[in-house]
Amino acid sequence: MTQQGGSTGSDIPTRTASEPENHDLREVLLWWAGLSIIAIAVWVVVSSLLLPKAATADDVFANVTVVVFTALAIPVALFVWVFVGYSLVRHRARVTATAGRPPTEAAPAIVATSGQTIAWLAITGGLCLFLVVWGLFGIYRGAQVPTKHPMIVDATGQQWLWTFRYPHPAPNAQPVTSQELVLPVNHPVQFDVTSLDVLHGFEIRAFGITLDANPGSIIPTEVVTPRKIGDFTVRCVELCGLYHSYMWAPVKVVSESSYIAWLHAASHGSAQGGSST
Amino acid sequence: MTTTMTPTQRSQSAAPSRRARLVPSIVSGLVLGLVGGLLVALIVAQFAHGSRGINQIVVAGYLGWAVFFFIGIGALNYPMRWAFGRTQPTHNEELELAGRGQGPWRYFRFCTDHKVVGIQYLITVFVLFIVGGAAAFLIRLEQSTPGAKFVTPGTYNTIVGVHGLLMIAATIIMITGPFGNFILPIAIGAKDMAFPRLNALSYWLLFAAVPVFLSVFALGGFPTGWTGYAPLADQANAGMDAYAFTIILFGLSVGVSAMNIVVTVITLRAPGMRWNRLPVYVWGWALSVLLGAIAFPSFMLAELLVLSDRVFGTAFFISALGGSQWLYEQLFWFMGHPEVYVIALPSMAVVAEVVSVFSRKPIFSYKAVVGGFVGVAAIAMIVWAHHLFWSGANTPLDGPFMLSTELISIPTGLIFLAIVGTFWRGRIWRSVPLLFALGFVFNFIIGGVTGLYLADVPTDGVFHGGMFVVAHFHFTLVGGMVFGFFAAVYYWFPKLFGRRLNDRLGRAHFWLFEIGFLGTFLPLFYAGEHGEARWQANIPVQFATPNLVSSLFACLLVAAVSIFAYNVISAWRSGPKADTDEWGAKSLEWTVPTPVPLENFERTPVVTGSSYDYGNGVGAQPGRSGSAYPREATAGGATLPSPEP
């Protein structure tokens, strides 16, 4: 593109070599298409084994996002790898560099046409737009309020433990505090997250939620509905000092009846412990 | 007073002295700095009291160290002479300051020769990498098995922070420091940098920061990791002061160096070196340091405020007293995300250059590469808050920051288009620098793609603060940027040291590093995908297997780096002599003799074409007759005066 006046354009053999170039191009595009299809097929099968089991719709959406984004990324990555790999195999310097001496031949110049650049920009721009729209849809999804009124649980971090507080477990009942998070299945829940000292991070992978616990502010998470009975974990995901790596709490999603039984027992224990205000 | 002093000084320095002068030098700098720092600390200790007393003493000590170190090393001599006597140094004095006739001792002095500064940077980067790498190995050792087995959680947190900050600092300067100083002025046809004394100052500011940072170990470490989040930073012990003061010194160094490089590129290009004839790496490096100069002050400000909280008892970041932790997060990430592009641009630029040189083809689209760099640098300024999606602040801006973050993949894609197109139908010479460029292309794609999950709000909600993030940014920073650094070292080593690195050792280094790297960080994607959190001294049993695999592969990285170190040291001591134009490349630095003489060029070169026109003069030696640049020894006189009208 920056050809100088001294060298005329006539000795640039770019376009004269179009026949082998077209052959190469056909071959490399075939490789690219074939490998992309195979890789996407493999990924769709393998991803179900690699991804963890989700317990909420939010987490299912996160997992689906991973699958879709990866499937989209595979052809993009393979485009680069296959073109470069093909060039490496087919277009080696004919005079092998010996004893560290540079090979003497140069390759004919190939310079991007504006059409190629615009096409590339359009494709990457289109992919990019898709990701943004997908993400905006994700934000919109997360902001949806379910019809059923969510249960509110306070999640309070401090160095280095989590305390969960069920403010109004039942009409006229005492608030319940607990070091483990027990939740009824199929019941929407929202966490009011805060911290007593430094930043902590409240994260439940299987629920697809995370939120920093900020000192001085109480901030609600998205509303999630656990759909699976089972054991999960709250992890602290902001470095919070000495025992950060010990700051986790068990999450138990149980049946409605077990939950009520637990709450009943806990409210008695809580009242005896005097931890209620 | 100064007028009487000046002639004496001038007569002293005008005579070239071959003996190693201890004053001023690193020796007088260290002695005066240590003594001064201790004295200031002792004086302040008389007045300091209360819980902040230790912080006041420590910070005063660092201030004393910095000021007296620079007095001791002679950084202020010429500025003072100018300020009080308004006497310009003579050309002889300038050459003296640039280390003429001082032999290897000039590397230990406040030396203004850009080539000396470049080598000083390179050695420092190696040292930072070795220490930071040792910390990385301790991290992998600790995470190889559940439970806090090898180090205590407190030590572990300090090691994580030391590893993080050393590696970030090292990667920020790893290319623009050594090569931006050594190669860049030659590549644009300049005799030195625009501000040689500021150039020396930028290096010695970096040097002064290293002992401050290493003193964290004496002060009980710091718990925050390299991000230094407040209010944990307010709560931490005196090691945090070392961290904050390090950032301030380092930020000054980065800023001074950046302005110098930018001004050099703008003002000191040789006749005919138009903007579209600059080698692409000059573009990449200049834009990188410009971006750094804009971004870094906010980090320095954040650390000044942290120090203010800690030393004077203000509460910028303590919410109970009216401060805000979000203020810290915003200031930090306003630097923190541009910073990864500060690291990325130089490596991308090196890779684009190396691919062109070893494909023996002009860059597929020079405009796309430069446009890509400009686009990345511009968008990099407006992506930072994607780190705050889940911080509890900023919610209405989640969408816009997601958009800007994903937009940056478009200019990045342009750069990749140019790299792929340059490979296409080239005459590819699979040299060691090219291998590392290939490693960059392979790894950085994975790093870039995994970044999309973190840029997108729904998936960031499960990956934030986890090992997936760790794996992602190591794929960009190590798999991408450090591979670019190695490509640069293998490519320019013959010009820097006049010696050849061993080819087979280079290949062994590459393959061990690539396999070790993939084996170390691919399992962490899996662990992070399943919810393993970051910064874990005590990893949960559930994640034992991927972590063990990762730790075992990390041993290959140690082996690879050892081979590299051996290769560099043995080549430096007794490697075969390199040619002037070792690779048959066409940019200007390959036309000057090796070792490069003081002031680089006998006559200012005149540039008549792009440095990528390999396609012309096929069949000739590409580096010789096809060269766009007149060679000093042969053609220099013939092309003067300038053919430009």
Side-chain angles (χ1 to χ4, degrees):
Chain A
M1 62 169 27
T2 50
Q3 294 304 334
Q4 295 314 306
S7 62
T8 57
S10 61
D11 59 341
I12 305 171
T14 315
R15 296 294 159 232
T16 55
S18 64
E19 196 42 51
E21 187 176 352
N22 286 343
H23 170 263
D24 281 356
L25 206 57
R26 270 197 301 277
E27 205 170 73
V28 77
L29 286 174
L30 274 177
W31 273 104
W32 170 61
L35 285 173
S36 295
I37 291 165
I38 294 169
I40 291 173
V42 169
W43 164 247
V44 169
V45 175
V46 170
S47 61
S48 60
L49 305 172
L50 284 179
L51 293 172
K53 298 283 172 280
T56 67
D58 278 47
D59 204 43
V60 169
F61 186 70
N63 280 350
V64 169
T65 306
V66 171
V67 173
V68 171
F69 280 18
T70 309
L72 277 178
I74 284 171
V76 177
L78 281 174
F79 182 87
V80 174
W81 292 340
V82 168
F83 264 80
V84 170
Y86 184 91
S87 305
L88 271 185
V89 174
R90 288 294 172 85
H91 306 146
R92 298 188 61 170
R94 278 187 213 119
V95 181
T96 319
T98 48
R101 300 311 315 129
T104 50
E105 57 173 346
I110 301 175
V111 173
T113 63
S114 49
Q116 287 166 333
T117 312
I118 289 168
W120 178 266
L121 279 175
I123 292 167
T124 51
L127 285 171
C128 193
L129 194 67
F130 174 83
L131 300 181
V132 173
V133 170
W134 183 284
L136 288 174
F137 175 70
I139 295 175
Y140 168 77
R141 256 192 98 267
Q144 293 303 294
V145 183
T147 47
K148 209 169 163 183
H149 195 66
M151 177 172 111
I152 307 278
V153 178
D154 295 346
T156 304
Q158 73 194 83
Q159 287 168 324
W160 290 275
L161 54 88
W162 290 104
T163 306
F164 305 101
R165 187 163 172 274
Y166 299 71
H168 304 290
N172 306 321
Q174 290 286 326
V176 168
T177 57
S178 166
Q179 304 295 322
E180 61 175 4
L181 183 58
V182 180
L183 297 170
V185 71
N186 292 331
H187 196 293
V189 60
Q190 185 171 33
F191 301 96
D192 279 353
V193 182
T194 189
S195 161
L196 298 182
D197 37 48
V198 299
L199 268 185
H200 300 281
F202 175 83
E203 193 230 23
I204 306 174
R205 170 63 176 98
F207 289 8
I209 53 169
T210 187
L211 188 65
D212 280 3
N214 286 280
S217 303
I218 300 170
I219 298 165
T221 63
E222 294 171 6
V223 180
V224 289
T225 311
R227 299 286 181 193
K228 275 201 173 71
I229 291 180
D231 292 338
F232 309 100
T233 313
V234 175
R235 289 197 178 82
C236 177
V237 292
E238 291 291 351
L239 184 49
C240 57
L242 189 57
Y243 290 114
H244 165 66
S245 59
Y246 293 82
M247 189 169 162
W248 58 276
V251 180
K252 289 184 173 138
V253 178
V254 296
S255 66
E256 188 82 35
S257 55
S258 314
Y259 171 71
I260 288 167
W262 173 82
L263 201 62
H264 185 72
S267 72
H268 283 280
S270 189
Q272 283 160 11
S275 60
S276 64
T277 45
Chain B
M1 179 189 82
T2 41
T3 43
T4 53
M5 265 180 68
T6 311
T8 351
Q9 279 188 341
R10 190 167 291 171
S11 66
Q12 274 175 358
S13 45
S17 66
R18 293 210 164 266
R19 67 206 159 82
R21 290 203 304 184
L22 291 181
V23 183
S25 77
I26 190 173
V27 176
S28 59
L30 286 174
V31 169
L32 204 62
L34 285 174
V35 172
L38 277 174
L39 268 179
V40 174
L42 281 175
I43 292 167
V44 170
Q46 306 307 311
F47 305 100
H49 57 87
S51 61
R52 301 186 192 289
I54 177 72
N55 303 327
Q56 291 157 357
I57 295 166
V58 166
V59 172
Y62 290 147
L63 268 175
W65 149 260
V67 171
F68 284 100
F69 173 75
F70 283 106
I71 293 174
I73 200 163
L76 305 179
N77 292 1
Y78 280 84
M80 284 299 154
R81 260 181 60 187
W82 196 87
F84 294 112
R86 294 189 65 84
T87 48
Q88 299 284 355
T90 63
H91 188 64
N92 252 339
E93 283 172 329
E94 297 277 18
L95 290 180
E96 189 73 9
L97 202 58
R100 184 181 61 180
Q102 289 162 17
W105 185 242
R106 68 189 190 279
Y107 292 99
F108 299 93
R109 302 193 64 200
F110 191 83
C111 178
T112 57
D113 182 8
H114 71 99
K115 297 178 287 294
V116 172
V117 175
I119 301 293
Q120 287 169 332
Y121 263 110
L122 188 65
I123 306 293
T124 309
V125 166
F126 281 150
V127 171
L128 296 182
F129 270 137
I130 297 293
V131 180
F137 193 74
L138 285 177
I139 292 171
R140 287 313 327 146
L141 181 70
E142 179 55 50
Q143 292 201 326
S144 61
T145 174
K149 290 266 171 62
F150 297 97
V151 293
T152 64
T155 312
Y156 178 82
N157 288 346
T158 298
I159 290 171
V160 168
V162 167
H163 165 71
L165 192 63
L166 283 181
M167 289 309 204
I168 289 292
T171 47
I172 284 175
I173 58 171
M174 68 186 170
I175 290 176
T176 50
F179 307 107
N181 278 305
F182 195 114
I183 298 295
L184 182 139
I186 314 177
I188 64 171
K191 289 185 171 180
D192 204 316
M193 301 290 276
F195 306 116
R197 282 187 290 277
L198 282 186
N199 200 25
L201 182 68
S202 73
Y203 171 73
W204 289 106
L205 276 165
L206 170 72
F207 182 89
V210 173
V212 172
F213 188 58
L214 293 180
S215 69
V216 292
F217 292 109
L219 296 170
F222 65 111
T224 60
W226 92 272
T227 53
Y229 264 24
L232 184 59
D234 286 303
Q235 186 197 59
N237 56 17
M240 208 69 222
D241 297 320
Y243 165 89
F245 205 87
T246 305
I247 302 300
I248 292 167
L249 284 179
F250 182 69
L252 285 172
S253 165
V254 167
V256 170
S257 165
M259 294 328 290
N260 205 355
I261 289 176
V262 170
V263 173
T264 304
V265 173
I266 292 175
T267 60
L268 293 188
R269 282 169 294 131
M273 181 59 92
R274 303 175 193 154
W275 287 105
N276 63 0
R277 287 173 180 170
L278 280 179
V280 284
Y281 55 82
V282 175
W283 276 103
W285 298 350
L287 285 166
S288 156
V289 294
L290 182 62
L291 186 59
I294 297 168
F296 237 87
S298 92
F299 193 15
M300 290 167 65
L301 174 64
E303 296 314 319
L304 273 174
L305 299 184
V306 165
L307 280 183
S308 171
D309 276 8
R310 295 174 57 81
V311 172
F312 302 118
T314 54
F316 287 102
F317 305 123
I318 301 168
S319 60
L321 301 173
S324 168
Q325 63 281 359
W326 289 305
L327 173 62
Y328 184 88
E329 292 169 46
Q330 301 280 4
L331 287 173
F332 177 81
W333 287 114
F334 186 79
M335 175 284 309
H337 212 88
E339 169 252 51
V340 301
Y341 295 103
V342 171
I343 300 170
L345 285 174
S347 272
M348 289 175 170
V350 167
V351 168
E353 174 76 12
V354 161
V355 167
S356 171
V357 169
F358 295 101
S359 298
R360 286 294 187 267
K361 244 178 101 223
I363 290 179
F364 182 55
S365 172
Y366 183 89
K367 277 183 194 158
V369 173
V370 175
F373 290 158
V374 173
V376 166
I379 301 177
M381 290 308 302
I382 50 166
V383 299
W384 80 91
H386 65 235
H387 292 270
L388 305 180
F389 282 157
W390 306 103
S391 69
N394 228 10
T395 316
L397 287 177
D398 282 359
F401 275 107
M402 184 170 71
L403 172 68
S404 62
T405 306
E406 284 169 359
L407 276 183
I408 211 166
S409 61
I410 296 175
T412 312
L414 268 183
I415 299 167
F416 268 84
L417 171 70
I419 291 174
V420 170
T422 311
F423 268 113
W424 183 245
R425 297 183 66 78
R427 298 283 180 270
I428 296 173
W429 175 15
R430 297 187 204 172
S431 64
V432 177
L434 189 74
L435 281 184
F436 280 97
L438 285 165
F440 168 97
V441 170
F442 183 81
N443 302 329
F444 188 77
I445 293 278
I446 298 174
V449 163
T450 51
L452 293 174
Y453 308 122
L454 302 172
D456 229 65
V457 174
T459 31
D460 190 46
V462 293
F463 293 147
H464 178 82
M467 281 306 229
F468 192 92
V469 180
V470 173
H472 154 68
F473 72 71
H474 279 87
F475 259 86
T476 58
L477 289 176
V478 184
M481 310 323 155
V482 173
F483 273 71
F485 166 71
F486 282 133
V489 171
Y490 280 97
Y491 180 60
W492 278 299
F493 189 91
K495 185 51 70 182
L496 262 58
F497 296 97
R499 305 271 186 180
R500 257 176 219 162
L501 287 164
N502 183 296
D503 193 64
R504 295 178 71 174
L505 288 178
R507 283 166 205 280
H509 168 207
F510 169 77
W511 286 108
L512 280 176
F513 203 86
E514 176 67 27
I515 294 166
F517 166 76
L518 292 175
T520 303
F521 292 104
L522 283 175
L524 300 187
F525 279 126
Y526 176 81
E529 176 65 67
H530 283 252
E532 185 183 352
R534 288 173 71 178
W535 304 298
Q536 303 281 301
N538 164 37
I539 57 162
V541 180
Q542 181 193 349
F543 305 116
T545 311
N547 276 284
L548 181 61
V549 171
S550 169
S551 296
L552 290 175
F553 273 100
C555 300
L556 289 186
L557 294 178
V558 176
V561 172
S562 308
I563 290 173
F564 174 65
Y566 172 78
N567 197 358
V568 165
I569 291 169
S570 62
W572 173 64
R573 290 172 61 135
S574 57
K577 284 242 185 300
D579 284 352
T580 298
D581 188 0
E582 178 70 10
W583 308 107
K586 299 176 133 197
S587 46
L588 213 47
E589 76 269 23
W590 300 105
T591 64
V592 295
T594 315
V596 186
L598 201 59
E599 303 206 307
N600 309 335
F601 301 94
E602 266 177 61
R603 296 159 184 239
T604 306
V606 175
V607 181
T608 56
S610 154
S611 59
Y612 299 110
D613 54 350
Y614 291 101
N616 302 327
V618 179
Q621 283 257 353
R624 318 288 166 186
S625 62
S627 173
Y629 303 111
R631 296 174 63 78
E632 274 306 305
T634 56
T639 56
L640 290 171
S642 158
E644 302 274 309

